[in-house]
Amino acid sequence: MFATLVVAFLNVWEKIKSHRAEADAISSKAALAGSLSQSGKPLVNLLSKVAEAKPSERRAEVKTLISRTVQLCYSQSGKMTHHKCKTRSVLYLFSSAEVLVRQEYDGREGKAPRLKFDAQWSEP
């Protein structure tokens, strides 16, 4: 009899944990969507400035858009966890077919991220 009660309790407890995990996941998804929606508005505004800019001003507007996007990636990384995050957001662009060069970064203080990656540095 006691064993039956214990097994029944464990089954109910597992259901409760499952429902809590599902509710937490839904809540986190909604919070992330809201956060990205709020933080995405400035990016849309910057993108419209790029589209409306004169050709001579467009490069500066794109640079601002890139910088803000990298900052946004950093600010949103790890936001949904309860752990202290030491994240960094880095944008690398191809300078040639096998070389990536750092363009922009934001986040973790200290040593800057690697300036470039070259495919010839590592073995295939």
Side-chain angles (χ1 to χ4, degrees):
M1 175 80 167
F2 179 73
T4 305
L5 288 174
V6 169
V7 170
F9 172 77
L10 290 175
N11 285 336
V12 169
W13 183 250
E14 287 300 317
K15 286 275 191 189
I16 290 170
K17 286 187 349 185
S18 173
H19 287 297
R20 283 184 184 167
E22 185 177 339
D24 286 347
I26 291 169
S27 174
S28 293
K29 184 178 178 182
L32 178 61
S35 178
L36 290 176
S37 174
Q38 288 296 329
S39 58
K41 288 178 184 177
L43 293 181
V44 172
N45 291 338
L46 287 170
L47 187 57
S48 70
K49 286 183 179 182
V50 169
E52 294 171 352
K54 296 176 184 175
S56 60
E57 301 168 351
R58 192 163 287 145
R59 184 175 299 269
E61 294 295 342
V62 168
K63 186 167 176 63
T64 302
L65 177 63
I66 289 170
S67 177
R68 183 64 185 121
T69 302
V70 170
Q71 291 170 0
L72 177 65
C73 290
Y74 163 67
S75 71
Q76 296 300 310
S77 296
K79 209 172 188 182
M80 305 312 269
T81 70
H82 300 291
H83 304 288
K84 184 176 179 182
C85 294
K86 296 180 181 178
T87 59
R88 175 168 49 204
S89 179
V90 185
L91 173 68
Y92 288 94
L93 297 177
F94 282 101
S95 67
S96 68
E98 295 185 349
V99 178
L100 290 170
V101 177
R102 184 184 73 216
Q103 293 294 300
E104 188 80 32
Y105 72 95
D106 192 23
R108 185 176 55 221
E109 297 292 324
K111 188 177 176 184
R114 183 186 296 195
L115 186 57
K116 70 180 187 175
F117 289 91
D118 191 321
Q120 294 177 357
W121 293 347
S122 61
E123 297 177 20

